[in-house]
Amino acid sequence: MWRYKKLSTNSFANVSESGAAFALSGGFPAGGSYTVEGVLATNFDPSSGAGTYTVEYSYIDAATGCSGSANTTITVDAAVTCNLTVTSTVVDALC
C-alpha cells in the first residue's frame, strides 16, 4: 500500500543556455531519483542546448515496494549574443 498521498516534483524556472549547471531537487517524498530525457541525472546543465527537456522524478517506497513517478519540464532559452560593429569613428580634437 502506498504510504504517501501524492508523489511530486517541483517545477523549474526557464534557464538560459549560458546559465550554470544546477542540482535537480524538490521531489517528494525525498530519496527518489531523477532522469532527464530518460538518462539518470543528479544535475542539469543548460549548456546542453536550447529547448524543452522532460524531467522525471521516481520514487520506490522501501517499506512497501510501491513506486511512482512525476514529470515536469525544464525550458532552456537560447543564450543572447550581441555583436558590436563600429561603423564610424568620432574623434574630438583639442588644440
Side-chain angles (χ1 to χ4, degrees):
M1 171 168 232
W2 187 248
R3 296 185 298 160
Y4 302 100
K5 291 184 179 184
K6 164 175 139 174
L7 186 131
S8 63
T9 187
N10 61 332
S11 51
F12 297 96
N14 288 18
V15 294
S16 171
E17 192 174 20
S18 61
F22 58 91
L24 297 169
S25 62
F28 177 83
S33 59
Y34 284 93
T35 60
V36 177
E37 296 296 320
V39 178
L40 190 61
T42 55
N43 293 299
F44 180 78
D45 187 352
S47 69
S48 300
T52 300
Y53 295 84
T54 300
V55 178
E56 181 177 77
Y57 179 72
S58 299
Y59 179 82
I60 299 173
D61 187 325
T64 65
C66 292
S67 63
S69 63
N71 295 303
T72 190
T73 58
I74 297 175
T75 299
V76 178
D77 298 322
V80 176
T81 57
C82 297
N83 295 316
L84 179 63
T85 304
V86 177
T87 57
S88 66
T89 303
V90 176
V91 177
D92 290 330
L94 298 175
C95 298

Coordinates of all heavy atoms in Angstrom, one line a residue:
M1 N 0.8 -1.2 0.0 CA 0.0 0.0 0.0 C 0.9 1.2 0.0 O 1.9 1.3 0.7 CB -0.9 0.0 1.2 CG -1.7 1.3 1.4 SD -2.9 1.0 2.6 CE -4.3 1.7 1.7
W2 N 0.5 2.2 -0.8 CA 1.3 3.5 -1.0 C 1.1 4.3 0.3 O -0.1 4.6 0.6 CB 0.8 4.2 -2.2 CG 1.6 5.4 -2.6 CD1 1.1 6.6 -2.6 CD2 2.9 5.5 -3.0 NE1 2.1 7.5 -3.0 CE2 3.2 6.8 -3.3 CE3 3.9 4.5 -3.3 CZ2 4.4 7.3 -3.7 CZ3 5.2 5.0 -3.7 CH2 5.4 6.3 -3.9
R3 N 2.1 4.7 1.0 CA 2.0 5.5 2.2 C 1.9 7.0 2.0 O 1.6 7.7 2.9 CB 3.3 5.3 3.1 CG 3.4 3.9 3.5 CD 4.6 3.7 4.5 NE 5.9 4.1 3.8 CZ 7.0 4.4 4.5 NH1 7.0 4.4 5.8 NH2 8.1 4.7 3.8
Y4 N 2.1 7.4 0.8 CA 2.1 8.9 0.5 C 0.9 9.2 -0.3 O 0.5 8.5 -1.2 CB 3.4 9.3 -0.2 CG 4.6 9.0 0.6 CD1 5.3 7.8 0.3 CD2 5.0 9.7 1.6 CE1 6.5 7.5 1.0 CE2 6.1 9.4 2.4 CZ 6.8 8.3 2.1 OH 7.9 8.0 2.8
K5 N 0.2 10.3 0.0 CA -0.9 10.8 -0.7 C -0.6 11.2 -2.1 O -1.4 11.1 -3.1 CB -1.7 11.9 0.0 CG -2.3 11.4 1.3 CD -3.1 12.5 1.9 CE -3.7 12.0 3.2 NZ -4.6 12.9 3.8
K6 N 0.6 11.7 -2.3 CA 1.0 12.3 -3.5 C 2.5 12.3 -3.7 O 3.3 12.5 -2.8 CB 0.5 13.8 -3.5 CG 1.0 14.7 -4.6 CD 0.3 16.0 -4.4 CE 1.2 17.1 -4.6 NZ 0.6 18.4 -4.7
L7 N 2.9 11.9 -4.9 CA 4.3 11.9 -5.3 C 4.4 13.1 -6.2 O 3.6 13.3 -7.1 CB 4.7 10.7 -6.1 CG 6.2 10.6 -6.4 CD1 6.7 9.2 -5.9 CD2 6.4 10.8 -7.8
S8 N 5.4 14.0 -6.0 CA 5.5 15.2 -6.8 C 7.0 15.6 -7.0 O 7.9 15.2 -6.3 CB 4.7 16.3 -6.2 OG 5.3 16.6 -4.9
T9 N 7.2 16.5 -7.9 CA 8.5 17.2 -8.1 C 8.1 18.7 -8.3 O 7.0 19.0 -8.7 CB 9.3 16.6 -9.3 OG1 10.6 17.2 -9.3 CG2 8.6 16.8 -10.6
N10 N 9.1 19.5 -8.0 CA 8.9 20.9 -8.2 C 9.0 21.3 -9.6 O 9.5 20.5 -10.4 CB 9.9 21.8 -7.3 CG 11.3 21.5 -7.7 OD1 11.7 20.5 -8.2 ND2 12.1 22.5 -7.5
S11 N 8.5 22.4 -10.0 CA 8.6 22.9 -11.4 C 9.9 23.8 -11.4 O 10.4 24.3 -10.4 CB 7.4 23.7 -11.8 OG 7.1 24.7 -10.9
F12 N 10.5 23.8 -12.6 CA 11.7 24.6 -12.7 C 11.5 25.8 -13.6 O 10.8 25.7 -14.6 CB 12.8 23.7 -13.4 CG 13.1 22.5 -12.6 CD1 12.5 21.2 -12.8 CD2 14.1 22.6 -11.6 CE1 12.8 20.1 -12.0 CE2 14.4 21.4 -10.8 CZ 13.8 20.2 -11.0
A13 N 12.1 26.9 -13.2 CA 12.0 28.1 -14.0 C 12.8 28.0 -15.3 O 13.8 27.2 -15.3 CB 12.5 29.3 -13.2
N14 N 12.4 28.7 -16.3 CA 13.2 28.8 -17.5 C 14.7 29.2 -17.2 O 14.9 30.0 -16.3 CB 12.7 29.7 -18.5 CG 11.4 29.2 -19.1 OD1 10.7 28.3 -18.6 ND2 11.0 29.8 -20.2
V15 N 15.6 28.6 -17.9 CA 17.0 29.0 -17.7 C 17.7 29.3 -19.0 O 17.2 28.9 -20.1 CB 17.8 27.8 -17.0 CG1 17.3 27.5 -15.6 CG2 17.7 26.5 -17.8
S16 N 18.7 30.1 -18.9 CA 19.5 30.5 -20.2 C 20.5 29.4 -20.5 O 21.1 28.8 -19.6 CB 20.2 31.8 -19.9 OG 21.1 32.1 -21.0
E17 N 20.7 29.2 -21.8 CA 21.7 28.3 -22.3 C 23.1 28.6 -21.7 O 23.9 27.7 -21.6 CB 21.7 28.4 -23.8 CG 22.4 27.3 -24.5 CD 22.2 27.5 -26.0 OE1 21.8 28.6 -26.5 OE2 22.4 26.5 -26.7
S18 N 23.3 29.8 -21.3 CA 24.6 30.2 -20.8 C 24.6 30.1 -19.2 O 25.6 30.4 -18.6 CB 25.0 31.6 -21.2 OG 24.0 32.5 -20.7
G19 N 23.6 29.6 -18.6 CA 23.5 29.5 -17.2 C 24.3 28.4 -16.6 O 24.7 27.5 -17.3
A20 N 24.5 28.4 -15.3 CA 25.3 27.4 -14.6 C 24.5 26.1 -14.4 O 23.2 26.2 -14.3 CB 25.7 28.0 -13.3
A21 N 25.2 25.0 -14.3 CA 24.5 23.7 -14.0 C 23.9 23.8 -12.6 O 24.4 24.6 -11.8 CB 25.5 22.6 -14.1
F22 N 22.9 23.1 -12.4 CA 22.2 23.1 -11.0 C 21.7 21.7 -10.7 O 21.5 20.9 -11.5 CB 21.1 24.1 -11.0 CG 20.0 23.9 -12.0 CD1 18.9 23.1 -11.6 CD2 20.1 24.5 -13.2 CE1 17.9 23.0 -12.6 CE2 19.1 24.3 -14.1 CZ 18.0 23.5 -13.8
A23 N 21.6 21.5 -9.3 CA 21.1 20.2 -8.8 C 19.6 20.1 -9.1 O 18.9 21.1 -8.9 CB 21.4 20.1 -7.3
L24 N 19.2 18.9 -9.4 CA 17.8 18.6 -9.5 C 17.3 18.2 -8.1 O 17.9 17.4 -7.5 CB 17.6 17.4 -10.5 CG 18.0 17.7 -11.9 CD1 18.0 16.4 -12.7 CD2 17.1 18.7 -12.6
S25 N 16.3 18.9 -7.6 CA 15.8 18.7 -6.3 C 14.4 19.1 -6.2 O 13.8 19.6 -7.1 CB 16.7 19.5 -5.3 OG 16.5 20.9 -5.6
G26 N 13.8 18.8 -5.0 CA 12.4 19.1 -4.7 C 11.4 18.0 -4.9 O 10.2 18.2 -4.7
G27 N 11.9 16.8 -5.2 CA 11.0 15.7 -5.3 C 10.4 15.3 -4.0 O 11.1 15.3 -3.0
F28 N 9.2 14.9 -3.9 CA 8.5 14.4 -2.7 C 7.9 13.0 -3.0 O 7.2 12.9 -4.0 CB 7.5 15.4 -2.2 CG 6.8 14.9 -1.0 CD1 7.4 15.0 0.3 CD2 5.6 14.2 -1.1 CE1 6.8 14.5 1.4 CE2 5.0 13.7 0.1 CZ 5.5 13.8 1.3
P29 N 8.1 12.1 -2.1 CA 8.9 12.1 -0.9 C 10.4 12.1 -1.3 O 10.8 11.7 -2.4 CB 8.6 10.8 -0.2 CG 7.9 10.0 -1.2 CD 7.4 10.8 -2.3
A30 N 11.2 12.6 -0.4 CA 12.7 12.7 -0.7 C 13.3 11.3 -0.8 O 12.7 10.3 -0.3 CB 13.4 13.5 0.5
G31 N 14.4 11.2 -1.5 CA 15.1 10.0 -1.7 C 14.9 9.3 -3.0 O 15.4 8.2 -3.2
G32 N 14.2 9.9 -3.9 CA 14.0 9.3 -5.2 C 15.1 9.7 -6.2 O 16.2 10.2 -5.8
S33 N 14.9 9.4 -7.4 CA 15.9 9.7 -8.4 C 15.3 10.5 -9.6 O 14.1 10.4 -9.9 CB 16.6 8.5 -8.9 OG 15.6 7.6 -9.5
Y34 N 16.2 11.2 -10.3 CA 15.7 12.0 -11.5 C 16.3 11.4 -12.8 O 17.4 10.9 -12.8 CB 16.2 13.4 -11.4 CG 15.5 14.3 -10.4 CD1 15.9 14.4 -9.1 CD2 14.3 15.0 -10.8 CE1 15.2 15.2 -8.2 CE2 13.6 15.7 -9.9 CZ 14.0 15.8 -8.6 OH 13.3 16.6 -7.7
T35 N 15.5 11.6 -13.8 CA 16.1 11.4 -15.2 C 15.7 12.6 -16.0 O 14.7 13.2 -15.8 CB 15.5 10.1 -15.9 OG1 14.1 10.3 -16.0 CG2 15.8 8.8 -15.1
V36 N 16.6 12.9 -16.9 CA 16.4 14.0 -17.9 C 16.4 13.3 -19.3 O 17.4 12.7 -19.7 CB 17.4 15.1 -17.8 CG1 17.2 16.1 -18.9 CG2 17.4 15.7 -16.4
E37 N 15.3 13.4 -20.0 CA 15.2 12.7 -21.3 C 15.6 11.2 -21.2 O 16.2 10.7 -22.1 CB 16.0 13.4 -22.3 CG 15.6 14.9 -22.6 CD 14.2 14.9 -23.2 OE1 13.9 14.1 -24.1 OE2 13.4 15.9 -22.9
G38 N 15.2 10.6 -20.1 CA 15.4 9.2 -19.9 C 16.8 8.8 -19.4 O 17.0 7.6 -19.2
V39 N 17.7 9.7 -19.1 CA 19.0 9.5 -18.6 C 19.1 9.9 -17.2 O 18.8 11.0 -16.8 CB 20.1 10.2 -19.5 CG1 21.5 10.0 -19.0 CG2 20.0 9.8 -21.0
L40 N 19.6 8.9 -16.3 CA 19.7 9.2 -14.9 C 20.6 10.4 -14.7 O 21.6 10.6 -15.3 CB 20.3 8.0 -14.2 CG 20.3 8.0 -12.7 CD1 18.9 8.0 -12.1 CD2 21.1 6.8 -12.2
A41 N 20.1 11.4 -13.8 CA 20.8 12.6 -13.6 C 20.6 13.1 -12.2 O 19.6 12.9 -11.6 CB 20.3 13.7 -14.6
T42 N 21.7 13.8 -11.7 CA 21.5 14.5 -10.4 C 21.6 16.0 -10.6 O 21.2 16.7 -9.7 CB 22.6 14.1 -9.4 OG1 23.9 14.3 -10.0 CG2 22.5 12.6 -9.0
N43 N 22.2 16.4 -11.7 CA 22.3 17.8 -12.1 C 21.7 18.0 -13.5 O 21.7 17.1 -14.3 CB 23.7 18.3 -12.0 CG 24.3 18.2 -10.6 OD1 23.8 18.9 -9.8 ND2 25.3 17.4 -10.4
F44 N 21.5 19.3 -13.8 CA 21.1 19.7 -15.2 C 22.0 20.8 -15.6 O 22.2 21.7 -14.9 CB 19.6 20.1 -15.2 CG 19.2 20.5 -16.6 CD1 18.9 19.5 -17.5 CD2 19.2 21.8 -17.0 CE1 18.5 19.8 -18.8 CE2 18.8 22.1 -18.3 CZ 18.5 21.1 -19.2
D45 N 22.5 20.6 -16.8 CA 23.4 21.6 -17.4 C 22.8 22.3 -18.6 O 22.6 21.6 -19.6 CB 24.8 21.0 -17.8 CG 25.8 21.9 -18.2 OD1 25.5 23.2 -18.4 OD2 27.0 21.5 -18.4
P46 N 22.4 23.5 -18.5 CA 21.7 24.2 -19.6 C 22.5 24.3 -20.9 O 22.0 24.5 -21.9 CB 21.4 25.6 -19.0 CG 21.5 25.5 -17.6 CD 22.5 24.4 -17.3
S47 N 23.8 24.1 -20.8 CA 24.7 24.2 -22.0 C 24.4 23.1 -22.9 O 24.9 23.0 -24.0 CB 26.1 24.3 -21.6 OG 26.6 23.1 -21.1
S48 N 23.5 22.2 -22.5 CA 23.1 21.1 -23.4 C 22.4 21.6 -24.7 O 22.4 20.9 -25.7 CB 22.1 20.1 -22.7 OG 22.7 19.6 -21.6
G49 N 21.9 22.8 -24.6 CA 21.3 23.5 -25.7 C 19.9 24.0 -25.4 O 19.2 23.5 -24.5
A50 N 19.4 24.9 -26.3 CA 18.1 25.5 -26.1 C 17.0 24.4 -26.4 O 17.3 23.5 -27.3 CB 17.9 26.7 -27.0
G51 N 15.9 24.5 -25.7 CA 14.8 23.5 -26.0 C 14.1 23.2 -24.7 O 14.4 23.8 -23.6
T52 N 13.2 22.3 -24.7 CA 12.4 21.8 -23.6 C 12.8 20.4 -23.3 O 12.8 19.5 -24.2 CB 10.9 21.9 -23.8 OG1 10.6 23.3 -24.1 CG2 10.1 21.5 -22.6
Y53 N 13.2 20.1 -22.0 CA 13.7 18.8 -21.6 C 12.7 18.2 -20.6 O 12.2 18.9 -19.7 CB 15.0 18.9 -20.9 CG 16.1 19.4 -21.9 CD1 16.3 20.8 -22.1 CD2 16.9 18.5 -22.6 CE1 17.2 21.2 -23.0 CE2 17.9 18.9 -23.5 CZ 18.0 20.3 -23.7 OH 19.0 20.7 -24.6
T54 N 12.3 16.9 -20.8 CA 11.4 16.3 -19.8 C 12.3 15.7 -18.7 O 13.3 15.1 -18.8 CB 10.7 15.1 -20.6 OG1 10.0 15.6 -21.6 CG2 9.8 14.3 -19.6
V55 N 11.8 16.0 -17.5 CA 12.4 15.6 -16.2 C 11.4 14.7 -15.5 O 10.3 15.1 -15.3 CB 12.8 16.8 -15.3 CG1 13.4 16.4 -14.0 CG2 13.7 17.8 -16.1
E56 N 11.9 13.5 -15.1 CA 11.0 12.6 -14.3 C 11.6 12.3 -13.0 O 12.8 12.1 -12.9 CB 10.8 11.3 -15.1 CG 9.9 10.3 -14.3 CD 9.7 9.0 -15.1 OE1 10.6 8.2 -15.2 OE2 8.6 8.9 -15.7
Y57 N 10.8 12.4 -11.9 CA 11.2 12.1 -10.6 C 10.6 10.8 -10.2 O 9.3 10.6 -10.4 CB 10.8 13.2 -9.6 CG 11.2 12.8 -8.2 CD1 12.5 12.9 -7.7 CD2 10.2 12.4 -7.2 CE1 12.9 12.6 -6.4 CE2 10.6 12.1 -5.9 CZ 11.9 12.2 -5.5 OH 12.2 11.8 -4.3
S58 N 11.4 9.8 -9.8 CA 10.8 8.4 -9.5 C 11.2 8.1 -8.1 O 12.3 8.5 -7.6 CB 11.4 7.4 -10.4 OG 11.1 7.6 -11.8
Y59 N 10.3 7.4 -7.4 CA 10.5 7.0 -6.0 C 10.0 5.6 -5.8 O 8.9 5.2 -6.3 CB 9.7 8.0 -5.1 CG 9.9 7.7 -3.6 CD1 11.0 8.1 -2.9 CD2 8.9 6.9 -3.0 CE1 11.1 7.7 -1.6 CE2 9.0 6.6 -1.6 CZ 10.1 7.0 -0.9 OH 10.3 6.7 0.4
I60 N 10.7 4.8 -5.1 CA 10.3 3.5 -4.7 C 10.2 3.5 -3.1 O 11.2 3.7 -2.5 CB 11.2 2.4 -5.2 CG1 11.3 2.4 -6.7 CG2 10.8 1.0 -4.6 CD1 12.3 1.5 -7.3
D61 N 9.1 3.1 -2.6 CA 8.9 3.1 -1.1 C 9.6 1.8 -0.6 O 9.1 0.7 -1.0 CB 7.4 3.1 -0.8 CG 7.1 3.2 0.7 OD1 7.9 2.6 1.5 OD2 6.2 3.8 1.0
A62 N 10.6 1.9 0.1 CA 11.4 0.7 0.6 C 10.5 -0.2 1.5 O 10.7 -1.4 1.5 CB 12.6 1.1 1.3
A63 N 9.6 0.4 2.2 CA 8.8 -0.4 3.1 C 7.7 -1.2 2.4 O 7.4 -2.3 2.9 CB 8.1 0.5 4.2
T64 N 7.2 -0.7 1.3 CA 6.1 -1.4 0.7 C 6.4 -1.9 -0.7 O 5.7 -2.8 -1.3 CB 4.9 -0.5 0.5 OG1 5.2 0.6 -0.4 CG2 4.4 0.1 1.9
G65 N 7.5 -1.4 -1.3 CA 7.9 -1.8 -2.7 C 7.1 -1.0 -3.7 O 7.3 -1.2 -4.9
C66 N 6.1 -0.2 -3.3 CA 5.3 0.6 -4.3 C 6.2 1.7 -4.9 O 7.1 2.2 -4.2 CB 4.1 1.2 -3.6 SG 2.9 0.0 -3.0
S67 N 5.9 2.0 -6.1 CA 6.7 3.0 -6.8 C 5.8 4.0 -7.6 O 4.6 3.7 -7.8 CB 7.7 2.4 -7.8 OG 6.9 1.7 -8.8
G68 N 6.3 5.1 -7.9 CA 5.6 6.1 -8.6 C 6.5 7.1 -9.2 O 7.7 7.1 -8.9
S69 N 6.0 8.0 -10.1 CA 6.9 9.0 -10.7 C 6.0 10.2 -11.0 O 4.8 10.1 -11.1 CB 7.5 8.4 -12.0 OG 6.5 8.1 -13.0
A70 N 6.7 11.3 -11.2 CA 6.1 12.6 -11.5 C 7.0 13.3 -12.6 O 8.2 13.1 -12.6 CB 6.0 13.5 -10.3
N71 N 6.3 13.9 -13.5 CA 7.1 14.6 -14.6 C 6.9 16.1 -14.6 O 5.9 16.6 -14.2 CB 6.6 14.1 -16.0 CG 6.8 12.6 -16.2 OD1 8.0 12.2 -16.1 ND2 5.8 11.8 -16.4
T72 N 7.9 16.8 -15.1 CA 7.9 18.2 -15.3 C 8.8 18.5 -16.5 O 9.4 17.5 -17.1 CB 8.3 19.0 -14.0 OG1 8.0 20.4 -14.2 CG2 9.7 18.8 -13.7
T73 N 9.0 19.7 -16.8 CA 10.0 20.1 -17.9 C 10.9 21.2 -17.4 O 10.6 21.9 -16.5 CB 9.2 20.5 -19.1 OG1 8.4 21.7 -18.8 CG2 8.4 19.4 -19.7
I74 N 12.0 21.3 -18.1 CA 12.9 22.4 -18.0 C 13.1 23.0 -19.3 O 13.4 22.3 -20.3 CB 14.3 22.0 -17.4 CG1 14.2 21.4 -16.0 CG2 15.3 23.2 -17.5 CD1 15.5 20.9 -15.5
T75 N 12.8 24.3 -19.5 CA 12.9 25.0 -20.7 C 14.2 25.8 -20.7 O 14.4 26.6 -19.8 CB 11.7 25.9 -21.0 OG1 10.6 25.1 -21.1 CG2 11.9 26.7 -22.3
V76 N 15.1 25.6 -21.7 CA 16.3 26.3 -21.8 C 16.2 27.3 -23.0 O 15.9 26.9 -24.1 CB 17.5 25.4 -22.1 CG1 18.8 26.1 -22.3 CG2 17.6 24.3 -21.0
D77 N 16.3 28.6 -22.6 CA 16.2 29.6 -23.6 C 17.6 29.8 -24.3 O 18.6 29.7 -23.6 CB 15.8 31.0 -23.0 CG 14.4 30.8 -22.4 OD1 13.5 30.2 -23.0 OD2 14.2 31.4 -21.3
A78 N 17.6 30.1 -25.6 CA 18.9 30.3 -26.3 C 19.6 31.5 -25.6 O 19.0 32.5 -25.2 CB 18.6 30.6 -27.7
A79 N 20.9 31.4 -25.5 CA 21.7 32.5 -25.0 C 21.7 33.7 -25.9 O 21.7 33.5 -27.1 CB 23.2 32.0 -24.8
V80 N 21.6 34.8 -25.3 CA 21.6 36.0 -26.1 C 23.1 36.4 -26.4 O 23.9 36.5 -25.6 CB 20.9 37.2 -25.4 CG1 21.0 38.5 -26.2 CG2 19.5 36.8 -25.1
T81 N 23.3 36.6 -27.7 CA 24.7 37.1 -28.1 C 24.5 38.4 -28.8 O 23.6 38.7 -29.5 CB 25.4 36.1 -29.1 OG1 24.5 35.9 -30.2 CG2 25.6 34.8 -28.4
C82 N 25.5 39.3 -28.5 CA 25.5 40.6 -29.1 C 26.8 40.8 -29.9 O 27.9 40.5 -29.5 CB 25.5 41.7 -28.0 SG 24.0 41.6 -27.0
N83 N 26.6 41.3 -31.1 CA 27.7 41.6 -32.0 C 27.8 43.1 -32.2 O 26.8 43.7 -32.6 CB 27.6 40.9 -33.3 CG 27.7 39.4 -33.2 OD1 28.5 38.9 -32.4 ND2 26.8 38.7 -33.9
L84 N 28.9 43.7 -31.9 CA 29.0 45.2 -32.0 C 29.9 45.5 -33.2 O 31.1 45.0 -33.2 CB 29.6 45.7 -30.7 CG 29.8 47.2 -30.7 CD1 28.5 48.0 -30.8 CD2 30.4 47.6 -29.4
T85 N 29.4 46.2 -34.1 CA 30.2 46.6 -35.2 C 30.4 48.1 -35.2 O 29.4 48.8 -35.2 CB 29.6 46.2 -36.6 OG1 29.4 44.7 -36.5 CG2 30.4 46.5 -37.7
V86 N 31.6 48.6 -35.3 CA 31.8 50.0 -35.3 C 31.8 50.5 -36.8 O 32.5 50.0 -37.6 CB 33.2 50.4 -34.7 CG1 33.5 51.9 -34.8 CG2 33.2 49.9 -33.2
T87 N 30.9 51.4 -37.1 CA 30.7 51.8 -38.4 C 31.3 53.2 -38.7 O 31.4 53.6 -39.8 CB 29.2 51.9 -38.8 OG1 28.5 52.7 -37.9 CG2 28.6 50.5 -38.8
S88 N 31.6 53.9 -37.6 CA 32.3 55.2 -37.8 C 33.0 55.5 -36.5 O 32.7 55.0 -35.5 CB 31.2 56.3 -38.1 OG 30.4 56.5 -37.0
T89 N 34.0 56.4 -36.7 CA 34.8 56.8 -35.5 C 34.6 58.3 -35.4 O 34.8 59.1 -36.3 CB 36.3 56.5 -35.8 OG1 36.3 55.1 -36.0 CG2 37.1 56.8 -34.5
V90 N 34.3 58.8 -34.2 CA 34.3 60.2 -33.9 C 35.5 60.5 -33.0 O 35.7 60.0 -32.0 CB 33.0 60.5 -33.1 CG1 32.9 62.0 -32.7 CG2 31.7 60.1 -33.9
V91 N 36.2 61.6 -33.5 CA 37.4 62.0 -32.8 C 37.2 63.5 -32.5 O 37.0 64.3 -33.3 CB 38.7 61.8 -33.6 CG1 39.9 62.3 -32.9 CG2 38.8 60.3 -34.0
D92 N 37.3 63.8 -31.2 CA 37.3 65.2 -30.8 C 38.8 65.6 -30.6 O 39.5 65.0 -29.9 CB 36.6 65.4 -29.5 CG 35.1 65.1 -29.6 OD1 34.6 65.4 -30.7 OD2 34.4 64.7 -28.6
A93 N 39.1 66.7 -31.2 CA 40.5 67.2 -31.1 C 40.5 68.5 -30.3 O 39.7 69.4 -30.6 CB 41.1 67.4 -32.5
L94 N 41.4 68.6 -29.4 CA 41.5 69.8 -28.6 C 42.9 70.4 -29.0 O 43.9 69.8 -28.9 CB 41.5 69.5 -27.1 CG 40.2 68.9 -26.5 CD1 40.4 68.6 -25.1 CD2 39.1 69.9 -26.7
C95 N 42.8 71.7 -29.4 CA 44.1 72.4 -29.8 C 44.4 73.5 -28.8 O 43.6 74.1 -28.2 CB 43.9 73.0 -31.2 SG 43.7 71.7 -32.4

